[in-house]
Amino acid sequence: MKRTKLLIILCVFLATFLVGGISLALEAPTLTVSTAGTTLSLSWTSVAGATGYTLSYAPAPYTGPDTIGSIPMGTQTSWSATLWEGAAYFVAVQAYDSVGSSVYSNIEYFAIDSSLLNQQLQNILDTAVVETGATGAVLSVKSPSFQWTGSSGFSNRETKTAMVPTDMLRLASMTKSFVSVVVQKLSEEGKFDLDDKIQQYLPAVIVDRISHGSEVTIRQLLNMTSGIYSYTEIDNYNDEVERNPYRSPWTPEEILEYVYPKKAVFSPGEGWEYSNTNYILFDMLVKEVSGTSLASEMRRIIHNPLGLSNTFMEIQEPRDGGFGGLIVRGYEKDGEDVTEIQDALGLGDGGLISDAEGVVKFLQGLFVDKVLLSATSLNQMRIFNSIEDYGLGLERRKTKFGEAWGHSGGSSGFEGDMLYFPESEVIFVFLTNTMDTNVCEKVFQRSMELLLFTN
C-alpha cells in the first residue's frame, strides 16, 4: 500500500469522526494486528484518561467513506473474530474520553488467505453439478473483499469440452434487468417519461390491436402491471415452436400476431402478471425513440461504460463461432441438445448472452458503484409490488441470507440467477447450460452459507 493511499484513508477516518473532536490530551493508542488461519486478533495500548474505545474498519480495496463501519469496544483493549477466507480490511481504533475528545491509532491492513475458500467453492460447484446431472455451470461470487469465478462440467456433452469460467451462456430473463436500465436511462435523457402511454411512441397498427393497448404506460410494461397477455403462455405460439423449431429467428411483429387475439388479463395498472410480451415491446419502443436498436442502446448505456466485452444480444449482434456466437451448447435435463430451437431468441425479454463476470460487473455498476442510473431512477427500480416483489425489471427475494435484488431466467437449454445482497454487498451469479435441474438452488444455499456464515 502506497504511503499516499494510507494518508488518504487516515484523513477519511479522522474526518468521519471529527465531530467528536480530537484532543491532544489523549495519547494515540498503538494498534497491533495478527492473523492465524481465519482468526483475526487485534490489541491496542491502553490510553490514560480514555473512557472507551471504538474499532473502525473499511473493506479493502477502499471505495469511499460510506464503507466505513464501527464497533463499540467499551473499555476492552483486545478483540478477536473468525472471518471468511478472502476477507481484507483496513482497521483503526479510536480512543475517547468523557468530554467527547478522541484520537485515532495507526491504521493497519490485514488479509485472510483465500486459497482454501476458492477450493471450497469449487467443491460446492463440482458436487452440485454431479448430484443434479447438470451438464455444466459457472459460478461467480463477489464481496467487498473477495471475488471468485469457477466452472464445472461440460460446455458440450458430445465433444466433452470442459466448461471454463470465461464461457458465455444465455441469460434468458435476467436480460430484463438490463433492458430496464436502458429504458430508464433513455427516460433520464428526455426521450420519454415512464408514465407516458406506449401509444405515443409505437405505431397505431400495433397498439390498437393489443387489448387495452392505448391505456398501457411504459412503467406498466417494466413492472408487469400492463395486463398484456404473455406470448409464452399462448398454445398456438408454443405449438408453432414445436412444429418448426429450427425456423428463422422470430421478430417482435411475428410474435405479436399471437398476442393480438388475446384479451388483457386485467385492465392496465389493476393487477400484476408476469408477461414476456411486455419486454418484446421494448425491442420496438427503444428503436422508435432512439433511431437505433435495443442492442445498440444497451451497448452504449451499459456494456461500453462497464467494459463488458463478453456480453451481447443474440441474433441482433451475431459473433463468429458456434450458434450465432454461442459456443456453449444448451440441454434439457435428459441430455437433449436444444441450443438451436428458435424460441424467440435474441429479443428484449431474454436475448442476452454473457459470461458470469460480466453479470457481476453489471450488478456492481448498478447497485454498488451506482454509475448506470441516477439515484432517482435506482429508487424507482426498487419500488416492488407488494404482493409479487417485482419492481422495474427487478425481483426482490427474501432469503435467510438477507434481502436480495436481481433476476432469474431460463431459455432454450440455459438457466441462471443473479442476486445482489445490499446488507453484505455480496453478489451471486450462477449460469448453467441445463434446464429443469435444482443445481442453482444447491449452489446458492451452500456457497452463501460458506461466504456469510463462517464466523
Side-chain angles (χ1 to χ4, degrees), residues 422-438:
E423 183 176 351
S424 60
E425 292 191 356
V426 167
I427 294 172
F428 171 91
V429 173
F430 180 83
L431 306 174
T432 179
N433 61 338
T434 311
M435 294 285 289
D436 300 325
T437 72
N438 64 341

Side-chain angles (χ1 to χ4, degrees), residues 95-403:
Y96 57 87
D97 60 21
S98 59
V99 296
S101 298
S102 63
V103 65
Y104 270 92
S105 71
N106 50 301
I107 293 177
E108 294 294 329
Y109 167 81
F110 73 86
I112 305 296
D113 179 66
S114 62
S115 58
L116 178 57
L117 179 58
N118 293 348
Q119 187 57 55
Q120 289 172 317
L121 287 168
Q122 185 66 58
N123 290 343
I124 286 172
L125 187 57
D126 291 340
T127 300
V129 167
V130 171
E131 286 178 348
T132 62
T135 300
V138 180
L139 170 66
S140 189
V141 292
K142 185 179 189 304
S143 74
S145 60
F146 173 78
Q147 183 167 7
W148 179 84
T149 302
S151 60
S152 185
F154 301 111
S155 63
N156 187 314
R157 276 178 178 259
E158 183 178 358
T159 63
K160 302 300 182 185
T161 303
M163 187 81 78
V164 296
T166 55
D167 273 333
M168 294 171 280
L169 291 79
R170 285 185 181 131
L171 299 189
S173 284
M174 288 176 274
T175 300
K176 292 181 174 69
S177 297
F178 288 75
V179 173
S180 177
V181 168
V182 170
V183 172
Q184 290 178 86
K185 188 65 175 182
L186 290 173
S187 178
E188 290 179 9
E189 294 173 350
K191 298 293 195 300
F192 47 71
D193 187 272
L194 294 187
D195 293 312
D196 288 345
K197 290 183 168 56
I198 62 173
Q199 69 173 356
Q200 297 175 235
Y201 307 98
L202 293 176
V205 68
I206 292 173
V207 176
D208 291 348
R209 297 178 68 191
I210 296 174
S211 178
H212 292 283
S214 62
E215 304 168 35
V216 174
T217 68
I218 295 171
R219 187 186 304 276
Q220 289 166 346
L221 292 182
L222 287 172
N223 65 17
M224 304 294 185
T225 60
S226 71
I228 297 174
Y229 208 97
S230 181
Y231 75 93
T232 52
E233 300 299 317
I234 298 174
D235 290 340
N236 288 345
Y237 165 78
N238 290 309
D239 290 344
E240 177 58 26
V241 171
E242 188 172 345
R243 279 194 301 268
N244 192 10
Y246 305 111
R247 52 157 286 157
S248 59
W250 288 84
T251 66
E253 291 81 3
E254 289 174 323
I255 288 172
L256 288 176
E257 289 295 332
Y258 291 87
V259 177
Y260 294 143
K262 292 292 185 178
K263 291 184 179 180
V265 182
F266 48 79
S267 296
E270 295 185 6
W272 188 95
E273 184 81 12
Y274 191 91
S275 175
N276 286 296
T277 308
N278 290 343
Y279 281 72
I280 290 290
L281 289 169
F282 282 128
D283 273 282
M284 311 172 83
L285 191 148
V286 169
K287 183 177 181 180
E288 290 289 337
V289 301
S290 69
T292 60
S293 65
L294 174 60
S296 296
E297 288 300 280
M298 194 176 294
R299 190 154 298 283
R300 176 180 72 88
I301 292 168
I302 301 174
H303 304 346
N304 290 343
L306 296 182
L308 307 188
S309 57
N310 289 326
T311 304
F312 63 100
M313 286 290 278
E314 189 171 7
I315 310 299
Q316 297 190 44
E317 298 178 294
R319 292 188 175 191
D320 293 334
F323 177 71
L326 180 63
I327 296 174
V328 176
R329 306 296 293 185
Y331 302 89
E332 294 286 357
K333 186 177 181 179
D334 62 6
E336 180 187 359
D337 188 331
V338 293
T339 312
E340 299 181 24
I341 291 179
Q342 287 287 357
D343 189 8
L345 301 176
L347 297 177
D349 62 329
L352 272 178
I353 291 172
S354 180
D355 60 357
E357 288 193 4
V359 182
V360 169
K361 288 180 180 178
F362 170 68
L363 294 177
Q364 175 81 19
L366 181 61
F367 294 123
V368 181
D369 301 332
K370 297 180 174 63
V371 296
L372 294 179
L373 294 174
S374 69
T376 299
S377 293
L378 193 56
N379 288 337
Q380 286 188 101
M381 193 174 187
R382 296 177 304 206
I383 297 175
F384 298 101
N385 182 285
S386 59
I387 298 175
E388 299 297 335
D389 270 344
Y390 200 89
L392 301 186
L394 191 68
E395 299 171 350
R396 177 172 62 182
R397 312 265 187 86
K398 295 177 181 178
T399 77
K400 70 177 183 179
F401 310 107
E403 180 174 303

